């Protein structure tokens, strides 16, 4: 074309597949692979940016791996990247996928990879299917973006550390029934943007940290470092949980329940101040709450990996009723509990009932 852009369309060969074993640059033209793609055993760079404008990159069918070392390095600038089919399989996962830049990237189906990364040049990142990121390295996923979303009832499973950074103005949305499960690593949410929680965030004896303001979207939200499905078993390792910003019911909703179960310590900065929570259950070796406001019952339980002489509970709690739970039956822990702070039982007024979804 007169602009110098190269539009590329790839059709399957005689064996019904497209083999990607090299780099592609379109100078801003669109690139689309119509058939199944086999990703070669190298880092395959695809660049659809150009001086006259950026193009789009589309994989219309499934991608599989040719073997160890397969990788994708993708750059779309202000353009978009879309995976319409499944990416990798449990037996042939893409070893690494790095999104250098894109206005929007969407995985329409399940994703299997060894390592997933979105650099600061990425913006919206949508997971419409399940994600399985398993690595023999320390880090399984490191994602930076302005809008990162996991679809309802989908699971993001990782074996290795998971870090998600939404900056100061972005958002992370885990819709109802969705789960982030980290099998052998930590979960860290960086940036002071908003986190909409509608499901579970779970590790197995590793730390969980939220720097952003958390909005609880329904009554099934759980954050646990005690293992898969928030079990009451206590795995080896650590497992502190920290909410370093506000935790509230999403604006406009009736007050929602909220459950936190730590393998070790829990630290909650301010919860329920903007929009009160309903029933709140918090358990751990020690519990530090700067200020918690709830319409329903608050249960604080001395349940954690290292509980020996009870749980130290510090902070200010205002709720309709408060229960200080003993250690579980059969444990060697002493049920004594040290309380520091102010306990109040004046029910706060809640927000009006309305339907709300983040926009």
């Amino acid at each position: 074309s007169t602009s110098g852009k190269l539009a590329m369309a790839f059709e399957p060969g005689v064996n019904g597949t497209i083999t990607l074993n090299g780099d592609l640059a379109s100078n801003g033209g669109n690139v689309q692979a119509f058939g199944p793609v086999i990703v070669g055993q190298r880092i395959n760079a695809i660049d659809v940016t150009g001086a006259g404008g950026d193009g789009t990159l589309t994989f219309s069918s499934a991608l599989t791996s040719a073997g160890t070392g397969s990788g994708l390095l993708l750059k779309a600038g202000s353009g978009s990247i879309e995976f319409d089919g499944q990416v990798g399989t449990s037996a042939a996962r893409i070893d690494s996928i790095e999104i250098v830049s894109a206005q929007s990237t969407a995985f329409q189906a399940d994703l299997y990879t060894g390592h997933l990364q979105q650099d600061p040049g990425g913006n919206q990142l949508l997971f419409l299917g399940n994600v399985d990121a398993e690595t023999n390295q320390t880090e399984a996923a490191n994602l930076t973006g302005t809008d990162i979303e996991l679809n309802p009832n989908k699971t993001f499973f990782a074996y290795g550390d998971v870090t998600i950074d939404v900056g100061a103005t972005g958002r992370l949305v885990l819709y109802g029934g969705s789960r982030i499960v980290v099998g052998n690593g930590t979960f860290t949410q960086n940036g002071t943007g908003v986190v909409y929680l509608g499901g579970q965030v779970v590790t197995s004896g590793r730390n969980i940290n939220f720097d952003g303001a958390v909005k609880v979207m329904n009554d099934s939200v759980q954050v646990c470092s005690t293992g898969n499905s928030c079990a009451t078993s206590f795995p080896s390792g650590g497992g502190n949980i920290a909410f370093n910003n506000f935790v509230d019911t999403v604006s406009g909703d009736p007050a929602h329940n909220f459950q936190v179960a730590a393998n070790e310590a829990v630290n909650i900065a301010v919860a329920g101040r903007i929009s009160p929570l309903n029933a709140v259950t918090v358990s751990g070796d020690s519990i530090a709450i700067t200020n918690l406001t709830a319409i329903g019952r608050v249960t604080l339980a001395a349940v954690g990996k290292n509980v020996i002489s009870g749980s130290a509970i510090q902070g200010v709690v205002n709720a309709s009723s408060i229960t200080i739970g003993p250690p579980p039956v059969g444990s060697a822990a002493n049920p004594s509990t040290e309380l520091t702070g102010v306990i109040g039982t004046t029910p706060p007024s809640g927000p009006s009932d309305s339907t709300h979804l983040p926009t």
Side-chain angles (χ1 to χ4, degrees):
S1 68
T2 55
S3 65
K5 296 182 179 181
L6 301 175
M8 302 182 188
F10 298 91
E11 298 282 357
V14 294
N15 63 351
T17 61
I18 301 166
T19 299
L20 179 61
N21 205 23
D23 300 336
L24 295 173
S26 71
N27 194 29
N30 298 334
V31 173
Q32 184 168 9
F34 286 97
V37 174
I38 299 175
V39 180
Q41 293 174 268
R42 66 190 298 275
I43 302 299
N44 299 277
I46 303 179
D47 185 346
V48 296
T49 63
D54 301 329
T56 62
L57 172 61
T58 305
F59 295 95
S60 298
S61 297
L63 282 76
T64 58
S65 171
T68 303
S70 63
L72 295 171
L73 182 68
L74 309 177
K75 186 177 181 181
S78 60
S80 63
I81 300 171
E82 183 157 333
F83 296 87
D84 292 334
Q86 181 170 304
V87 178
T89 67
S90 58
R93 64 184 65 243
I94 311 301
D95 276 0
S96 67
I97 300 174
E98 181 177 352
I99 301 161
V100 178
S101 64
Q103 184 62 33
S104 176
T105 299
F107 292 91
Q108 299 285 348
D110 292 350
L111 164 62
Y112 295 85
T113 184
H115 182 264
L116 180 63
Q117 180 168 324
Q118 178 161 284
D119 297 336
N123 290 285
Q124 185 179 63
L125 181 58
L126 306 177
F127 298 106
L128 284 75
N130 298 303
V131 180
D132 189 325
E134 299 186 43
T135 181
N136 57 6
Q137 306 297 318
T138 301
E139 182 180 82
N142 192 330
L143 310 176
T144 300
T146 58
D147 180 19
I148 299 175
E149 302 182 21
L150 181 60
N151 244 27
N153 302 311
K154 300 302 180 182
T155 297
F156 190 120
F157 176 78
Y159 195 85
D161 293 345
V162 173
T163 301
I164 299 178
D165 191 335
V166 295
T169 59
R171 70 177 193 171
L172 168 64
V173 184
L174 306 182
Y175 286 101
S178 64
R179 305 168 69 221
I180 293 181
V181 180
V182 184
N184 186 39
T186 61
F187 174 83
T188 304
Q189 182 271 311
N190 291 328
T192 55
V194 180
V195 180
Y196 292 94
L197 283 187
Q200 290 183 335
V201 176
V202 181
T203 68
S204 183
R206 301 297 180 91
N207 293 347
I208 297 175
N209 188 83
F210 290 92
D211 281 344
V214 171
K215 302 294 185 180
V216 179
M217 295 174 65
N218 57 50
D219 290 335
S220 301
V221 172
Q222 295 177 304
V223 178
C224 313
S225 60
T226 54
N228 193 24
S229 299
C230 294
T232 55
S233 59
F234 304 111
S236 61
N240 298 330
I241 298 178
F243 295 90
N244 300 316
N245 210 314
F246 292 99
V247 179
D248 296 283
T249 291
V250 68
S251 178
D253 271 18
H256 289 311
N257 300 338
F258 185 52
Q259 179 180 336
V260 180
N263 201 44
E264 290 191 338
V266 178
N267 191 304
I268 299 175
V270 180
R273 174 177 288 180
I274 299 173
S275 296
L277 300 167
N278 187 31
V280 178
T281 301
V282 181
S283 64
D285 283 349
S286 63
I287 300 170
I289 300 172
T290 302
N291 193 293
L292 167 61
T293 301
I295 292 175
R297 171 178 291 179
V298 172
T299 302
L300 307 175
V303 179
K305 179 170 69 75
N306 299 316
V307 171
I308 297 175
S309 58
S311 179
I313 300 174
Q314 301 178 339
V316 178
V317 178
N318 299 286
S320 58
S321 64
I322 300 169
T323 300
I324 308 299
V329 175
S331 73
N334 185 315
S336 63
T337 302
E338 176 186 348
L339 301 177
T340 304
V342 178
I343 304 277
T345 56
T346 302
S349 59
S352 60
D353 190 351
S354 63
T355 302
H356 176 84
L357 287 175
T359 57

